[in-house]
Amino acid sequence: MKSRKYQTEQKQKKGGFLAGILLLAVCLTVVVAGGKTILGGNPVQAIGESLQTDADLTLAPDGDWNLILVNPEHAMPQGYEVELTQLSNGESVDERIYPYLQKMFDDARAQGVFPVVTSGYRTQQTQEMLYEQEIQKYRDQGYSDFEAEELAKKWVAVPGTSEHQLGLAVDIGAEALKSDKEQVYQWLYENSARYGFILRYPEDKTEITGINYEPWHFRYVGKEAAQKIYEQGICLEEYLQQK
């Protein structure tokens, strides 16, 4: 029969071994979790080494949240999270821009123009789906995979580089039977800056923005920035270069 001392030593060794295994498991969990970038609770996948994600490149010099730059060359900031407000039609936006968006829509309707948000905040998964659908559309037209992807990028941002993932951008259409799109686009172009929004992809700035002209896509940048961008006839990239 083994002595009590021997049995005690064996229990201590066994306990130390189990503690070591538990510690190793905890460390591995921390390493794996630390590798995720969280955007509204969804992991953002890597989208290419050429994309820049450093804070000093994606934020304005003064760090204003409303001036975060996301475009084909600048991906979503690492660790970006957004608190959302849901609209009556199920779309969502960053809760900080909701009051300005609501005021803009209320004033437009008071003037007989009836805009509606057709697309607001998007998750990584939604952006990936839209991007793949756009690529497939061009494939179906006979383009090669490379050509289809290059054409798709002009209309749908590569996942991780879409302003919709910030919650600060909205695609706006016209409420059926009450307004037509051109009426809505014209009113927004002339008035949106007063509420802090800009036409994000102007027709004469496609070489700078990397995105085709989208008269429906408006981005919140704050009233001061929006007014300067509108008055100078520039885009967000040019405005940030001035700061």
Side-chain angles (χ1 to χ4, degrees):
M1 181 178 293
K2 294 182 175 62
S3 67
R4 289 186 177 179
K5 179 179 180 182
Y6 176 85
Q7 292 175 344
T8 300
E9 290 175 346
Q10 291 304 305
K11 288 182 180 179
Q12 290 175 340
K13 288 179 180 180
K14 184 177 181 180
F17 176 77
L18 292 175
I21 292 296
L22 179 60
L23 179 60
L24 177 60
V26 170
C27 291
L28 288 174
T29 300
V30 171
V31 169
V32 171
K36 292 182 179 178
T37 299
I38 302 300
L39 169 63
N42 297 296
V44 177
Q45 299 175 357
I47 50 178
E49 295 180 358
S50 62
L51 298 174
Q52 302 172 18
T53 58
D54 295 334
D56 60 333
L57 295 175
T58 54
L59 296 178
D62 56 4
D64 289 340
W65 61 270
N66 52 295
L67 294 177
I68 295 174
L69 178 63
V70 171
N71 63 17
E73 284 73 45
H74 298 87
M76 293 286 298
Q78 296 261 346
Y80 188 84
E81 296 183 18
V82 55
E83 296 293 329
L84 300 171
T85 292
Q86 189 174 65
L87 308 181
S88 59
N89 65 352
E91 295 294 331
S92 298
V93 296
D94 186 309
E95 64 179 11
R96 294 170 292 189
I97 79 169
Y98 173 74
Y100 306 102
L101 181 66
Q102 184 64 58
K103 175 62 175 172
M104 182 168 71
F105 275 34
D106 287 344
D107 289 352
R109 289 164 180 155
Q111 297 177 37
V113 179
F114 295 86
V116 61
V117 172
T118 59
S119 183
Y121 169 75
R122 296 176 190 164
T123 65
Q124 176 77 2
Q125 289 82 359
T126 297
Q127 190 66 28
E128 289 173 354
M129 179 191 68
L130 294 173
Y131 185 62
E132 285 302 319
Q133 287 177 347
E134 191 72 9
I135 292 175
Q136 189 60 48
K137 181 182 77 174
Y138 288 108
R139 287 194 189 114
D140 293 342
Q141 295 175 22
Y143 291 96
S144 68
D145 288 348
F146 175 78
E147 292 170 332
E149 187 167 358
E150 290 303 304
L151 288 168
K153 289 177 182 177
K154 295 295 183 178
W155 294 106
V156 179
V158 174
T161 69
S162 170
E163 287 192 327
H164 285 282
Q165 293 180 251
L166 290 172
L168 303 179
V170 286
D171 289 346
I172 301 175
E175 191 172 336
L177 305 179
K178 292 185 177 181
S179 290
D180 62 63
K181 292 181 180 179
E182 294 306 319
Q183 181 186 25
V184 169
Y185 298 158
Q186 187 63 33
W187 190 93
L188 290 172
Y189 176 74
E190 295 174 353
N191 296 281
S192 61
R194 297 194 290 118
Y195 307 90
F197 290 85
I198 59 169
L199 174 65
R200 181 64 179 91
Y201 304 121
E203 192 170 13
D204 60 344
K205 301 295 181 180
T206 58
E207 292 298 319
I208 298 174
T209 64
I211 302 294
N212 285 340
Y213 172 49
E214 293 188 356
W216 54 82
H217 184 106
F218 285 80
R219 156 74 190 267
Y220 183 83
V221 294
K223 292 183 180 180
E224 180 180 349
Q227 202 64 44
K228 290 180 179 178
I229 289 172
Y230 175 72
E231 291 173 354
Q232 297 177 35
I234 58 178
C235 61
L236 180 58
E237 284 83 357
E238 292 173 307
Y239 175 77
L240 292 176
Q241 288 179 354
Q242 296 176 3
K243 293 181 71 65

